[in-house]
Amino acid sequence: MLLLAIGIVLALAQGVQAGVTRHYNFTIQSHKVSKLCSTKHIISVNRKFPGPTIHLDEGDRVVVKVTNRVPHNMTIHWHGVRQLRSAWFDGPAYITQCPIQPNQTFTYNFTVTEQRGTLWWHAHINWLRATVHGAFIIHPKPGLGYPFPKPEKEVPLVFSEWWKSDVFKVVKQALGTGGGPNISDAFTINGKPGPLYNCSSQDVFVLNALPGKTYLLRLVNAVLNTELFFAIANHTLTVVEADAGYVKPFNTNVVVIAPGQTMNLLVTANQAPGRYFMAAHSYESGQNVTFDNTTVTAIFQYQQASSSSPPVLPPLPFFNDTKPVTAFNNKLRKLATPEDPIAVPQTVDQHLFFTVGLAVENCPPGASNKTCQGPNGGRFAASVNNITFTVPTTAILQAHYFNTPGVYSTDFPFSPLVKFNYTGPSLKNLNSINGTRTKVAVLPYGANVELILQDTSIVTTESHPIHLHGYNFYVVGTGFGNYNSSLASTFNLVDPPERNTIGVPVGGWAALRFKTDNPGAWFMHCHLEIHQSWGLDTAFIVNNGKGPSQSLQPPPADLPKC
Ligand SMILES: *[C@@H]1O[C@H](CO)[C@@H](O)[C@H](O)[C@H]1NC(C)=O
Ligand SMILES: *[C@@H]1O[C@H](CO)[C@@H](O)[C@H](O)[C@H]1NC(C)=O
Ligand SMILES: *[C@@H]1O[C@H](CO)[C@@H](O)[C@H](O)[C@H]1NC(C)=O
Ligand SMILES: *[C@@H]1O[C@H](CO)[C@@H](O)[C@H](O)[C@H]1NC(C)=O
Ligand SMILES: *[C@@H]1O[C@H](CO)[C@@H](O)[C@H](O)[C@H]1NC(C)=O
Ligand SMILES: *[C@@H]1O[C@H](CO)[C@@H](O)[C@H](O)[C@H]1NC(C)=O
Ligand SMILES: *[C@@H]1O[C@H](CO)[C@@H](O)[C@H](O)[C@H]1NC(C)=O
Ligand SMILES: *[C@@H]1O[C@H](CO)[C@@H](O)[C@H](O)[C@H]1NC(C)=O
Ligand SMILES: *[C@@H]1O[C@H](CO)[C@@H](O)[C@H](O)[C@H]1NC(C)=O
Ligand SMILES: *[C@@H]1O[C@H](CO)[C@@H](O)[C@H](O)[C@H]1NC(C)=O
Ligand SMILES: *[C@@H]1O[C@H](CO)[C@@H](O)[C@H](O)[C@H]1NC(C)=O
Ligand SMILES: *[C@@H]1O[C@H](CO)[C@@H](O)[C@H](O)[C@H]1NC(C)=O
Ligand SMILES: [Cu+2]
């Protein structure tokens, strides 16, 4: 017994060997939850909300057997994991795989290399990610530490959005009426809304802090439809990582995090012993958009603090205040040290210019006006380069690999066919939908791509958190108004942040660069769930390069069928 204990201690001291396999079982179940004076069934993994945290070391293999025990189709996406040559396990429904149908299983099986930090996993079908999500933590390789002092403790803070009603009803109603979705009733931190809501005084996440110690907070924004401001009363936050990429540490009082994004912060318990709120509320940049304006809280509680003292709330910027967002995002700089190298493409082989924004579909002839409650008696939609994406009924990756015709077309325009003043006066009267289509943009292997994402004012300008699957990109520039190529001279090609999700500035643009070193079919979409449903999506197909090391692996035998 003693020898065994010594053996375990030695094994821990030496660190687990890199390249081990981490096994998880995910059972998709429905379970009853009481929150905010009401009870409902939610769909979750292993009856946990948020779901289990995945832990691994860089270089490990992750094997997750997913068993679907609910009467809904399911897929799981490993958000931000590059899936080098293993696109089959990326997860977006009908892009890389057909869904795992009720009573079916599918085993996700992939390695995680050249990445470390906080990422997350979530369902990637029909708003199920509302309750099916969790943190995905990649620890540095054994023996390698952090580029900052080792924290006392590491604490995931997973933000999500809570409706008292069933989320299926919320999306069904929005898509049925053509109008905006009903707003949520609360946000939660690690599944708990905190005491500022009705019937929630005890339903709060508490971080117990020791005076003088430093904590690593691993933030995950799993919220569906709004970006967030976050702060801790009276405490300075040090940002050390964004989207699993180290950044040059900087201090801030407030953090901005969009759905899909993750961020690591250090906070030191250096204030008078007490109880301090960690709080978040919406950053909503769209005009005339109704949104959840409530405040979610958790408590940063010092060991000696009296539990009777009411915690103090931090000030948060006003909901539509873009200035602190710009200031925050402009501070993000990749660490870019010999241990954390950077590879920004310095030249460009392929220029892409994509408009992203909301749109209006004219009320279809003969349709009831009950189904046309969007702007100007039409229906809300969204588009990229004026294409409203239609999700196919066969997975694009399968169609690509097996040369199945008729699933998608390859003529996604590399720049808008109609040029206009993208951020000028609202174009509400323009029917901005050019049919709904499954068009993809095909890119060769090994190309240096520059992608300009340009917000539009067709309905309202708005910050869109655009997520690209299978890649990280360098954010080499952002700005307001319309992009033009003379702005390329202002790009940061030295230490731009490397991300997988970028909040394109409201009424502005973001310039991204990446190298097409990962073959497959890769979804790109707005991570505001309602915008994704409205078609603010597209996909890339990146062709194989030369030889097996530049080619997609064959599909797994248990890949679900449509
Ligand atoms: C997963 O489930 C299988 C079958 O029930 C079991 O044998 C295995 O130990 C489980 N693995 C983990 C990591 O829980
Ligand atoms: C799934 O399996 C359960 C138990 O075996 C069965 O009751 C249920 O009808 C099955 N559901 C479907 C959709 O096949
Ligand atoms: C996972 O993939 C590896 C490499 O292809 C393979 O050797 C292993 O058997 C797979 N494991 C499972 C559980 O499918
Ligand atoms: C703590 O923060 C609150 C709210 O911003 C502020 O009113 C108070 O003065 C701060 N206290 C200290 C000691 O800084
Ligand atoms: C917002 O609503 C007001 C009042 O209905 C309207 O005058 C204005 O044009 C709207 N703005 C946008 C950008 O839709
Ligand atoms: C939130 O919105 C509601 C409804 O529009 C409004 O009555 C309330 O004052 C707002 N609360 C805050 C904190 O802005
Ligand atoms: C922000 O909201 C306030 C109050 O709702 C409004 O008066 C103001 O015009 C908005 N600012 C912007 C930039 O939209
Ligand atoms: C919807 O259509 C009905 C029947 O055509 C009409 O009576 C009603 O006024 C319309 N409602 C709106 C809000 O336009
Ligand atoms: C685009 O619209 C904006 C806002 O109305 C205006 O200031 C700008 O001059 C316009 N740009 C062009 C090129 O027309
Ligand atoms: C989008 O396409 C539709 C249909 O072809 C066309 O009427 C509209 O002018 C286009 N809008 C834009 C902004 O390109
Ligand atoms: C609409 O789509 C059709 C077919 O793809 C294309 O020929 C046409 O140029 C598009 N129109 C606009 C305005 O984008
Ligand atoms: C589940 O997916 C299958 C395969 O794509 C599809 O035929 C079926 O209609 C889907 N079921 C639901 C409830 O969406
Ligand atoms: Cu969006």
Side-chain angles (χ1 to χ4, degrees):
M1 199 59 187
L2 183 64
L3 281 177
L4 182 66
I6 291 170
I8 290 168
V9 169
L10 277 176
L12 286 174
Q14 287 163 358
V16 183
Q17 283 283 303
V20 305
T21 300
R22 310 280 178 166
H23 288 274
Y24 289 86
N25 287 328
F26 275 20
T27 305
I28 314 296
Q29 279 157 304
S30 168
H31 80 283
K32 208 169 169 180
V33 179
S34 293
K35 216 166 268 301
L36 308 168
C37 321
S38 70
T39 298
K40 68 167 181 173
H41 278 88
I42 64 166
I43 292 169
S44 66
V45 167
N46 301 351
R47 300 181 192 276
K48 288 202 171 90
F49 171 70
T53 299
I54 301 254
H55 285 278
L56 66 143
D57 294 338
E58 180 187 342
D60 286 352
R61 176 173 290 279
V62 177
V63 173
V64 184
K65 183 177 178 189
V66 179
T67 305
N68 185 2
R69 294 279 175 232
V70 297
H72 300 282
N73 286 339
M74 179 58 65
T75 70
I76 305 286
H77 167 53
W78 315 91
H79 185 113
V81 173
R82 293 230 26 221
Q83 300 291 3
L84 287 162
R85 305 193 300 111
S86 57
W88 302 107
F89 302 108
D90 188 42
Y94 303 107
I95 309 298
T96 60
Q97 69 166 97
C98 297
I100 309 168
Q101 295 185 35
N103 285 348
Q104 289 186 349
T105 67
F106 176 52
T107 301
Y108 293 87
N109 177 354
F110 52 88
T111 54
V112 180
T113 56
E114 291 166 44
Q115 293 186 275
R116 62 218 68 92
T118 306
L119 293 173
W120 62 301
W121 56 266
H122 62 81
H124 212 303
I125 183 167
N126 197 18
W127 288 41
L128 278 162
R129 77 172 179 85
T131 50
V132 178
H133 60 249
F136 187 101
I137 298 177
I138 312 161
H139 299 278
K141 278 184 182 156
L144 287 184
Y146 298 123
F148 45 82
K150 189 171 159 39
E152 171 74 11
K153 204 175 162 197
E154 304 186 2
V155 184
L157 294 182
V158 179
F159 296 82
S160 39
E161 195 165 6
W162 187 265
W163 279 263
K164 287 183 182 171
S165 68
D166 188 341
V167 286
F168 285 118
K169 286 189 188 143
V170 178
V171 60
K172 202 174 161 198
Q173 197 224 350
L175 300 182
T177 61
N182 289 339
I183 59 171
S184 48
D185 297 295
F187 298 105
T188 57
I189 297 177
N190 295 344
K192 295 162 188 295
L196 304 189
Y197 299 93
N198 286 339
C199 313
S200 64
S201 61
Q202 302 304 312
D203 200 5
V204 55
F205 176 76
V206 177
L207 194 172
N208 289 302
L210 296 170
K213 300 292 186 190
T214 298
Y215 295 83
L216 178 67
L217 307 180
R218 296 178 174 274
L219 271 57
V220 172
N221 188 343
V223 160
L224 293 196
N225 288 329
T226 175
E227 302 186 33
L228 294 175
F229 288 117
F230 169 79
I232 305 182
N234 303 105
H235 287 77
T236 300
L237 306 169
T238 305
V239 181
V240 292
E241 186 206 298
D243 292 2
Y246 294 129
V247 298
K248 295 187 171 82
F250 67 92
N251 290 343
T252 183
N253 293 323
V254 65
V255 156
V256 187
I257 185 166
Q261 295 182 333
T262 51
M263 200 166 287
N264 283 2
L265 312 174
L266 295 174
V267 58
T268 301
N270 57 7
Q271 298 297 301
R275 302 168 80 220
Y276 299 88
F277 270 134
M278 306 193 262
H281 78 194
S282 291
Y283 164 55
E284 175 51 71
S285 57
Q287 297 93 61
N288 296 353
V289 175
T290 51
F291 64 96
D292 183 341
N293 64 7
T294 62
T295 303
V296 60
T297 53
I299 301 175
F300 191 69
Q301 176 162 291
Y302 286 59
Q303 204 182 29
Q304 315 96 313
S306 138
S307 60
S308 58
S309 60
V312 48
L313 261 180
L316 290 169
F318 192 63
F319 303 108
N320 64 1
D321 192 355
T322 293
K323 275 203 198 79
V325 178
T326 311
F328 178 82
N329 285 327
N330 284 347
K331 284 187 202 156
L332 292 170
R333 293 270 188 277
K334 177 98 173 149
L335 187 57
T337 56
E339 300 74 37
D340 184 54
I342 189 161
V344 194
Q346 300 289 318
T347 57
V348 177
D349 303 314
Q350 184 63 64
H351 287 273
L352 304 176
F353 186 101
F354 290 4
T355 61
V356 293
L358 300 189
V360 189
E361 182 189 3
N362 283 345
C363 197
S368 152
N369 57 13
K370 288 200 188 81
T371 66
C372 296
Q373 294 178 20
N376 291 345
R379 294 172 53 77
F380 264 121
S383 60
V384 181
N385 276 352
N386 204 26
I387 312 283
T388 297
F389 188 79
T390 307
V391 176
T393 51
T394 300
I396 290 175
L397 186 62
Q398 275 160 301
H400 166 60
Y401 190 83
F402 294 109
N403 290 314
T404 314
V407 175
Y408 59 83
S409 65
T410 57
D411 57 344
F412 187 88
F414 282 11
S415 61
L417 299 178
V418 175
K419 312 221 177 339
F420 60 102
N421 188 347
Y422 305 113
T423 55
S426 169
L427 298 174
K428 244 191 251 171
N429 293 319
L430 184 68
N431 171 17
S432 48
I433 300 292
N434 190 1
T436 56
R437 291 193 171 75
T438 310
K439 289 182 191 287
V440 307
V442 180
L443 298 171
Y445 186 92
N448 286 343
V449 174
E450 180 177 286
L451 168 58
I452 309 295
L453 295 173
Q454 172 71 60
D455 187 24
T456 68
S457 54
I458 294 173
V459 174
T460 166
T461 55
E462 188 168 5
S463 169
H464 296 284
I466 304 292
H467 172 48
L468 174 60
H469 288 230
Y471 285 87
N472 287 333
F473 43 73
Y474 292 100
V475 184
V476 297
T478 56
F480 293 99
N482 301 332
Y483 176 78
N484 70 68
S485 56
S486 72
L487 293 161
S489 63
T490 65
F491 288 170
N492 175 3
L493 301 178
V494 177
D495 60 357
E498 189 181 356
R499 307 207 74 163
N500 61 56
T501 307
I502 173 71
V504 177
V506 49
W509 53 271
L512 318 177
R513 286 194 183 178
F514 59 96
K515 192 179 199 69
T516 53
D517 61 357
N518 193 12
W522 303 111
F523 206 25
M524 188 175 81
H525 60 94
C526 184
H527 223 287
L528 301 179
E529 206 64 17
I530 185 64
H531 294 184
Q532 187 188 317
S533 303
W534 284 338
L536 216 170
D537 326 317
T538 186
F540 289 106
I541 284 182
V542 175
N543 284 323
N544 285 338
K546 292 195 186 79
S549 71
Q550 299 184 354
S551 299
L552 178 65
Q553 300 168 135
D558 60 344
L559 190 70
K561 294 184 172 56
C562 286

